[in-house]
């Protein structure tokens, strides 16, 4: 008999894998960005930017930053990142607009009050 997963458990597995054999992490590649509803043209470097989430809560990205992620409330992703270039730790809470096996869209409000929407596509 299989026990149905809660929506929260399912969202975590979509983000970072189930932890079972060969399903221990997911890497997401930046696909597009909008700031206050205006599309941002992404540079080649930006289109190669990736975030990796491991099923046990680890985080890393292609800027060599590391940290951890948490989803304690449905549709709220908290990232605590240690920025290697400046040796500083910071955390951001993103609204998960959508998340499925192929795409993820995150939204956050910046300190200047602008809303940023980032779309990612699955990389692995």
């Amino acid at each position: 008999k299989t026990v149905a997963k809660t929506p929260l458990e399912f969202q975590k597995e979509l983000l970072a894998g189930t932890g079972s054999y060969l399903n221990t992490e997911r890497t997401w590649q930046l696909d597009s960005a909008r700031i206050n509803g205006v599309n941002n043209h992404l540079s080649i470097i930006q289109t190669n930017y990736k975030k990796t989430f491991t099923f046990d809560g680890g985080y890393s990205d292609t800027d060599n930053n590391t940290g951890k992620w948490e989803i304690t409330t449905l549709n709220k992703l908290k990232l605590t990142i240690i920025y290697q270039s400046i040796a500083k730790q910071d955390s951001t809470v993103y609204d998960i607009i959508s998340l499925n096996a192929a795409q993820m869209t995150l939204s956050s409000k910046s300190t200047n009050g602008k809303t940023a929407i980032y779309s990612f596509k699955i990389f692995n």
Side-chain angles (χ1 to χ4, degrees):
K1 181 179 174 183
T2 337
V3 178
K5 294 185 186 334
T6 66
L8 190 62
E9 289 170 324
F10 186 60
Q11 199 166 57
K12 290 177 183 180
E13 287 184 3
L14 284 171
L15 178 73
T18 61
S20 64
Y21 180 69
L22 294 178
N23 193 5
T24 58
E25 68 180 36
R26 295 256 164 86
T27 299
W28 298 89
Q29 184 171 359
L30 186 61
D31 197 35
S32 67
R34 284 185 309 191
I35 310 295
N36 277 355
V38 177
N39 285 335
N40 265 20
H41 175 74
L42 297 179
S43 69
I44 297 293
I45 291 170
Q46 290 170 316
T47 59
N48 287 320
Y49 178 75
K50 296 173 192 74
K51 293 178 177 288
T52 299
F53 299 89
T54 60
F55 81 99
D56 59 359
Y59 168 84
S60 62
D61 64 30
T62 49
D63 289 341
N64 293 321
N65 301 313
T66 58
K68 61 183 182 172
W69 66 269
E70 301 171 85
I71 300 176
T72 54
T73 306
L74 197 60
N75 298 323
K76 296 281 184 194
L77 170 63
K78 180 180 180 185
L79 279 182
T80 303
I81 301 174
I82 300 159
Y83 293 95
Q84 300 301 327
S85 59
I86 55 174
K88 180 182 177 232
Q89 180 174 309
D90 197 9
S91 63
T92 305
V93 176
Y94 294 92
D95 289 318
I96 300 171
I97 297 172
S98 66
L99 175 59
N100 61 41
Q103 296 177 311
M104 169 172 66
T105 305
L106 303 175
S107 172
S108 71
K109 271 228 187 290
S110 60
T111 49
N112 60 11
K114 293 184 176 182
T115 300
I117 297 176
Y118 303 100
S119 294
F120 293 84
K121 59 187 177 188
I122 194 73
F123 184 72
N124 63 343

